[in-house]
Amino acid sequence: MTVPVDLADGALGLYSAVGDAFAGRRLGFGRRRAAVAARFARRRGRDEDAVAATWYAGSLAEVGLVAIALPPEAGAQQRTLAYADAPLHGARIVAAFPSAPPRASDIVRWHREHDDGTGIPDRLRWDGIPADAAALGITHAFLEAVEDPDEPREGVEAVFALAAESGRRFAVDLVRSFREFILAGDWDGPLAFARSSIDDDDAIRLLAQRIDARDARTGGRSERLATLGTMLAQRLDLDPRRTARLARLLALGRATDPVPQDDFDPFSRFARDGRAALAHRAGAIAASVAAYAADAPPLAASATWYEDGNQEPLAGVLGLLLAVDALSPLDAPRRLAAASGTQFAPDTTRAYLAILNEAP
Amino acid sequence: MIDLPTNTRRISGTRLLDLCRARGISSLVDPFMGVPTHLNVLKRHGIAVHGGDLLEWFVRAGEGLVVNDFTILRDNEVAAVVEMLPGRIYPTDLFRGWEGVFFSEDQCRYLGVWHANVHALRSDGQTGIAVIGLWHVLCHWLLKAHHPDEMIDIPPSELAWHHIREAQRWIADNGKRNTVRRGDFTTTLGAVRADAVYLALPGRSAAKRIDARVWMWEAWWQGDPYLNIERLYRETVFGGATNDDVSYDRAAAAVLAAAESTPYIIIQSNARDADRFERLLRERRPNTERANLDRDEIYIIGKK
């Protein structure tokens, strides 16, 4: 279903937040970057199409990180080469959005290029770097300085910190015009575009698939959970569509680097801390986007146990989905029966076992 | 102070990679490679690459970035490139001809020292890395001459150290044989077979309008600050009078003829020249398509 949404607070916002999560940034950094970059584009006299493309690219600039999964033992060189392709992966993700402005993909592709030819992914140099991409690059570096967790800065202070990169990472003229833009004030504040439409369900399905694909053990997991979640929801009188969406959103918990190991026995109490961390991350990412804020509580509670009390039925279903996905169908009846009343709600367990019994 | 031209051609390895992957191309040759960063990108992604150029420093850079699979410079070796070695006599006045015109006395001295140190390196891979790294220093100095108050001062050896270390981050192996050679397009295209030829053809009278940052580095590599680079191009098809349409078309057609046996020919052009190249390519390959990605980036792809 295609619905018009305010893109910043819809699926695109979720993609942006996932980029933030993989980059280890504050959730919402990407949307702030988009707004500042779009304001800067307006100030540079770009037409509205270019401003929209810049905003779109600013939101999704770091989403390419989702495609990079390195083993923990990867060396520094291997990491350098893999991360050099992050903008390229991001460009491909953006290009796959039917509603994306045509230029957005190339802005993402080249926003990390440096004026002196030392950037990624292509080591373009000088005015071979598209001006909009270079402008997004300096905006990104500026906000990194503003939101530096070790040394947060005011805008004016941060823009002067960029001066050392004049003629190196950023063209001299670009640094000059960006400084004037910041010193003029009014560079911050939300800015959203609601001109395009996007299929939210489809976008989330693709996002979950991308996160699943980072690890051979989770390939295709989200779709399995969504299918089973729909069946369980129908039996438990829950909203099947929402359950399927939440099942896919569980993948957000794994939006971190390195790939979290979550294949420890899901029925073990020793796995609870790890699972709770994943659930809370999924909840936090969902909570950072207005359209999915209501989905955050069941996601965050999906690692709770029935015996803890006050378990929301939907959260219980999500917890059960994750657990049974890791089980052989032959083991499921025995182990689920043992966990009924402690880890899982009895009626949820019964509903799942009934589905198993009816399976051909 | 010397003019630094604008309108740098955007040669993107990742864009070429997308074009290659969409067509199952696994090897590519670029007879006009220039600074071969795009070939390095393609190599890193598993495509066998071959390059050629008339300028020797491009070829040296290619030996570092394209041919070289694993050789790097260790810290002591970088130090031996960027600083004067005690006890060694250096030709510190080698680039005195540039002093006060393009560079300061100190910078000219460093250019002489680096020239000697890089020529003393024993491996082609290390030489190539040093050549490309130090070229960035030259570019930095020329730009700083235009903006003395807006770019920070960095000691020459520190800047050189940074860029050499930066350049060698991109050394990678693709498990294939990759080559570069010095020569014109017929030499390069005659020496290797590949699935595709990539052509970013020189512009009209390109030798006369060559970027100072390019010819100066060839002069540095050759150790001759008065080097006339035009003579390298004079005897090529693009070296004569190619200002008029007919003779430029003839030169481009000669390149296409030399690439005749290659399954794919990919020409990179722009909005101004794309129609001309498409017509020339279509005369030889009716199965020709055009990818209009940007005004500055139009690819014309002919399949045999």
Side-chain angles (χ1 to χ4, degrees):
Chain A
M1 187 179 71
T2 301
V3 289
V5 292
D6 181 337
L7 291 179
D9 289 327
L12 211 66
L14 210 54
Y15 272 69
S16 182
V18 165
D20 296 339
F22 276 113
R25 303 191 195 287
R26 175 185 66 79
L27 299 174
F29 179 93
R31 276 164 286 166
R32 189 181 190 194
R33 175 179 56 211
V36 178
R39 284 174 198 273
F40 184 41
R42 275 203 184 123
R43 173 155 177 119
R44 290 185 299 120
R46 305 291 288 135
D47 62 40
E48 278 305 298
D49 286 345
V51 173
T54 299
W55 179 87
Y56 213 100
S59 293
L60 301 179
E62 289 185 297
V63 77
L65 291 168
V66 72
I68 298 169
L70 287 163
E73 67 275 13
Q77 174 78 352
Q78 197 181 348
R79 289 185 177 278
T80 298
L81 297 178
Y83 282 103
D85 285 337
L88 173 61
H89 296 309
R92 288 174 179 162
I93 291 171
V94 173
F97 274 114
S99 63
R103 282 181 274 190
S105 167
D106 281 350
I107 297 175
V108 170
R109 182 187 295 252
W110 289 313
H111 81 282
R112 297 297 284 272
E113 296 290 351
H114 293 173
D115 191 66
D116 64 1
T118 60
I120 54 173
D122 281 315
R123 276 169 292 149
L124 299 179
R125 56 186 178 274
W126 313 326
D127 55 344
I129 305 168
D132 292 333
L136 176 58
I138 196 169
T139 306
H140 176 84
F142 167 74
L143 286 177
E144 270 188 322
V146 169
E147 296 200 10
D148 184 342
D150 298 326
E151 193 184 348
R153 298 172 174 90
E154 293 295 316
V156 174
E157 192 186 352
V159 82
F160 281 103
L162 294 179
E165 299 295 347
S166 179
R168 301 175 73 198
R169 280 174 74 183
F170 311 115
V172 174
D173 295 344
L174 179 66
V175 172
R176 198 183 297 140
S177 63
F178 191 76
R179 187 168 54 224
E180 287 165 7
F181 164 63
I182 297 298
L183 296 181
D186 193 30
W187 55 269
D188 210 358
L191 186 71
F193 286 79
R195 306 188 321 171
S196 315
S197 61
I198 192 168
D199 184 334
D200 269 25
D201 287 346
D202 201 37
I204 289 171
R205 184 176 55 77
L206 288 172
L207 181 62
Q209 278 176 1
R210 287 181 193 280
I211 296 172
D212 289 347
R214 289 168 49 78
D215 188 348
R217 293 165 299 188
T218 57
R221 180 199 272 180
S222 294
E223 283 315 294
R224 290 196 302 274
L225 300 190
T227 305
L228 183 56
T230 306
M231 294 161 72
L232 268 176
Q234 284 163 347
R235 284 179 180 269
L236 295 168
D237 210 17
L238 298 169
D239 178 352
R241 188 171 164 226
R242 184 171 184 226
T243 309
R245 183 175 72 226
L246 284 164
R248 293 185 178 110
L249 289 176
L250 283 170
L252 298 177
R254 282 173 282 119
T256 185
D257 192 40
V259 177
Q261 308 280 319
D262 68 344
D263 57 349
F264 191 74
D265 183 354
F267 292 86
S268 164
R269 290 181 187 272
F270 294 113
R272 288 188 70 176
D273 287 349
R275 292 194 172 275
L278 295 180
H280 283 125
R281 186 178 300 112
I285 293 174
S288 73
V289 183
Y292 300 97
D295 292 335
L299 287 170
S302 62
T304 58
W305 282 25
Y306 179 71
E307 66 183 12
D308 296 338
N310 300 323
Q311 191 187 46
E312 204 186 319
L314 204 44
V317 168
L318 296 176
L320 182 127
L321 291 174
L322 278 170
V324 298
D325 189 66
L327 278 184
S328 149
L330 295 176
D331 280 345
R334 178 176 58 84
R335 299 204 61 189
L336 271 181
S340 180
T342 53
Q343 186 169 358
F344 304 115
D347 54 343
T348 309
T349 314
R350 274 195 298 275
Y352 174 71
L353 292 175
I355 291 171
L356 266 191
N357 286 333
E358 289 167 13
Chain B
M1 198 169 5
I2 196 161
D3 279 344
L4 300 177
T6 53
N7 297 324
T8 309
R9 200 174 337 194
R10 184 181 309 137
I11 306 290
S12 162
T14 59
R15 186 77 93 194
L16 281 172
L17 179 69
D18 289 345
L19 295 174
C20 288
R21 288 233 171 116
R23 291 161 183 81
I25 293 168
S26 62
S27 58
L28 177 138
V29 55
D30 178 358
F32 303 96
M33 66 176 182
V35 183
T37 46
H38 59 300
L39 297 184
N40 175 266
V41 171
L42 290 171
K43 179 190 174 186
R44 285 201 286 113
H45 289 90
I47 292 184
V49 288
H50 309 277
D53 209 289
L54 288 172
L55 294 193
E56 191 174 347
W57 85 263
F58 287 153
V59 179
R60 294 289 174 181
E63 282 167 350
L65 292 176
V66 176
V67 180
N68 174 23
D69 289 333
F70 52 82
T71 304
I72 57 166
L73 289 146
R74 290 185 291 265
D75 283 356
N76 63 317
E77 291 167 326
V78 178
V81 169
V82 303
E83 281 296 357
M84 275 195 217
L85 300 176
R88 182 165 178 181
I89 298 169
Y90 285 99
T92 51
D93 58 353
L94 189 60
F95 295 98
R96 186 159 283 174
W98 288 348
E99 190 180 317
V101 187
F102 308 127
F103 301 107
S104 68
E105 181 187 352
D106 195 35
Q107 288 170 339
C108 287
R109 194 181 306 122
Y110 267 102
L111 287 172
V113 169
W114 293 340
H115 174 82
N117 285 344
V118 171
H119 279 75
L121 287 170
R122 281 173 295 182
S123 110
D124 290 339
Q126 289 184 329
T127 303
I129 293 166
V131 165
I132 193 79
L134 294 173
W135 174 64
H136 282 103
V137 180
L138 175 109
C139 297
H140 180 93
W141 286 346
L142 288 172
L143 185 63
K144 186 157 170 55
H146 283 258
H147 307 283
D149 299 328
E150 291 180 274
M151 291 172 64
I152 59 168
D153 291 314
I154 305 172
S157 53
E158 187 182 321
L159 195 58
W161 179 287
H162 165 78
H163 280 296
I164 291 173
R165 297 301 302 273
E166 201 286 324
Q168 71 181 16
R169 292 197 304 153
W170 308 107
I171 307 305
D173 183 11
N174 64 350
K176 293 176 179 165
R177 182 170 169 266
N178 310 282
T179 63
V180 290
R181 56 185 36 79
R182 189 179 186 194
D184 67 3
F185 64 89
T186 50
T187 310
T188 306
L189 294 174
V192 289
R193 299 186 75 80
D195 295 341
V197 172
Y198 166 68
L199 300 170
L201 292 169
R204 296 173 188 216
S205 304
K208 287 192 172 69
R209 288 200 289 264
I210 197 161
D211 193 315
R213 293 166 285 201
V214 170
W215 71 253
M216 277 185 153
W217 208 232
E218 182 68 9
W220 171 83
W221 173 254
Q222 303 290 351
D224 175 7
Y226 302 105
L227 180 78
N228 178 2
I229 211 164
E230 272 184 56
R231 68 181 169 80
L232 293 173
Y233 290 92
R234 204 166 290 150
E235 289 171 11
T236 72
V237 292
F238 290 99
T242 49
N243 265 327
D244 63 293
D245 286 352
V246 176
S247 51
Y248 187 79
D249 283 1
R250 199 181 305 126
V255 179
L256 296 178
E260 195 66 57
S261 63
T262 313
Y264 283 96
I265 296 177
I266 303 171
I267 302 178
Q268 183 173 343
S269 186
N270 53 30
R272 195 188 62 185
D273 293 325
D275 288 344
R276 164 196 306 277
F277 289 129
E278 186 174 357
R279 175 176 53 77
L280 288 170
L281 188 55
R282 223 175 256 289
E283 283 171 8
R284 295 177 174 275
R285 302 199 172 196
N287 189 1
T288 291
E289 58 179 314
R290 182 165 162 164
N292 289 302
L293 302 175
D294 190 89
R295 278 188 60 78
D296 302 326
E297 227 192 329
I298 297 172
Y299 295 89
I300 301 138
I301 304 157
K303 188 180 176 189
K304 196 172 180 183

